[in-house]
Amino acid sequence: MKRSIIQTGIVISMVAFTLAACSQPATPAPTAVAVPTIVMPTAAAPAITLPAQTTLNLGVTGSGEIKAAQDADLVFIVQGTVADVMVKEGDIVKKGDLLAILDTRALDQQLQQGEAQVAAAMAGEAALTEDPRALDLAAAQAGVTQARAALDAVRAGPKKQDIASAEAALAAAQINLQATRDRLSLGKTQAELQMQQATQTLTQAQARYSQSKYNWEYAQSTGNDPIVPEVTNAAGKKFANKLSDGQLENYYAQYIQAEAAMRQAEKALDLARIAFDSARQAEITGIAAAEQQSRQAELAVEKLKLPPDRDRLAAAQAAVAQAQAAEGRLAPEPRDSQKAQAKAAIAQAQAGLELAKINRERAELRAPFDGVIATVNVDPGDPSSTGARPAIRIVDVSALHVDVQLSDVDIGKVQIGQQAQIHSDSVPGKTFTGSIEYIAPTATSTGSIRTFLVRVSLDTLEGLRAGMNARVEIRS
């Protein structure tokens, strides 16, 4: 149709140009005739009357593809095994509907571990400011009472019962010293064991990482199984044991998991070292304090047996002050470094928990919008990775449109709201109507060719499907 209109226009233009040349031979022909206008001279030549102006409205045509309002290729982001597929091709779903889910047992366990780690980190922070145990507080208060009693005894002069009391205080101080040594030594030993366990865990994680890295690099470079690189057939001939895409993905997943485990083990070792250093310093400080208390009790006994003097009085007073200081040290006054360490542990645990929640959510495929299931490429028992194919494809066919590319010559002839006719070889003999709803603001260049995307919305969807080819005619 378009070729016929163009040919007709060319013939009319040539006739008009020839007549004008015959009537006015002295006048040169114009260089360009966009719209031929022929005015016949008033001479005695034969009068030929033509239209004052001839306009050829060829319109604008283009080809494109019928597309849906929106579509989505859904894939599993996390690794796993498909546990259940709730839809089949052709099913109509609503936004948020569950379409497929992986086996979430491992992910649920990671989520529980993350919650436990957060609780443990918060408990560690609370331990820095919690009230002292009743036993420790009672022992410190008893030390203050004994020191005061010793001071009173010095002031009152030596008595048998006073000497006995001082000796009892000495015995208590020595018991406290030994108890402190045992308790702090046990704490240091436990911290050291935990550090050694963390070191062993890191060593094992590093070994697993090295092996997984070697396996992945070997599999990636050769395409063969790194564990069983060759197999022998029934004829005794050896040939390379090639990996499938799924097996290759598995080696890559093992490599990534081994690296993450190694990083986690490194962080755990750092925390264990910090805890060991704290326990070791606490042992030094605590034993020194207990030894000082024991020594003061010894001095109190020695001084008590001497005639009362200013030195004994001063020593008794010092013993009271030190006992009071020991009691005061039981009050929760954590250092800034301990507070920062506890907050960092909580932040790390919360980050791990959040990651576990995200991975758990990623184990589910849900409909992002209302639509129809176009393809399903997974079945229960399949791995979550499907290669280049989506696990599930969903299409919204509530509205259809046609995208066509128009040249920069034709783009000036179209505008938003302009009516268009659509033809499809899939529905022969039927003309569909629509209107232009979008014109791209910029061109797409391919070499020296520049085109603009024009989107035509369809007035009716009957008989049409997404993916059909269509021809669009836009009348100016």
Side-chain angles (χ1 to χ4, degrees), residues 107 111 115 352-362:
L107 298 174
L111 188 61
E115 292 172 346
L353 176 59
E354 187 63 25
L355 178 60
K357 290 180 179 179
I358 293 174
N359 288 336
R360 177 61 179 82
E361 292 174 359
R362 288 175 174 174

Side-chain angles (χ1 to χ4, degrees), residues 36-73:
T37 303
I38 303 173
V39 180
M40 303 303 297
T42 58
I48 299 176
T49 303
L50 293 177
Q53 184 173 359
T54 301
T55 302
L56 300 179
N57 185 2
L58 303 180
V60 177
T61 63
S63 297
E65 178 184 350
I66 298 176
K67 296 184 177 181
Q70 54 184 337
D71 57 69
D73 293 335

Side-chain angles (χ1 to χ4, degrees), residues 281-338:
Q281 186 60 40
E283 181 186 32
I284 295 172
T285 304
I287 291 177
E291 288 176 344
Q292 184 67 21
Q293 183 179 359
S294 177
R295 180 58 181 164
Q296 291 296 333
E298 291 177 0
L299 292 175
V301 173
E302 293 175 0
K303 293 290 185 180
L304 188 60
K305 294 180 179 180
L306 296 175
D309 54 21
R310 294 180 179 179
D311 293 340
R312 293 185 61 190
L313 181 60
Q317 291 171 342
V320 172
Q322 290 200 3
Q324 291 174 339
E327 181 183 19
R329 279 194 295 271
L330 293 177
E333 293 181 1
R335 296 187 298 273
D336 292 341
S337 60
Q338 292 175 313

Side-chain angles (χ1 to χ4, degrees), residues 7 59 211 271-272:
Q7 292 174 349
Q211 183 63 43
L271 293 176

Side-chain angles (χ1 to χ4, degrees), residues 203-270:
T203 301
Q204 295 172 357
Q206 290 172 337
R208 285 192 294 269
Y209 169 73
S210 298
Q211 183 63 43
S212 299
K213 181 180 179 182
Y214 168 79
N215 289 344
W216 162 241
E217 291 177 347
Y218 180 88
Q220 185 183 33
S221 61
T222 64
N224 297 337
D225 192 324
I227 298 177
V228 185
E230 293 183 347
V231 294
T232 304
N233 59 15
K237 182 179 179 180
K238 293 184 178 181
F239 58 94
N241 187 11
K242 293 295 183 180
L243 294 172
S244 65
D245 291 343
Q247 291 172 326
L248 189 62
E249 288 291 335
N250 185 47
Y251 277 112
Y252 178 69
Q254 292 177 5
Y255 165 62
I256 295 300
Q257 292 171 359
E259 183 178 14
M262 182 180 69
R263 302 298 178 221
Q264 185 176 2
E266 289 173 349
K267 293 179 181 178
L269 178 57
D270 290 340

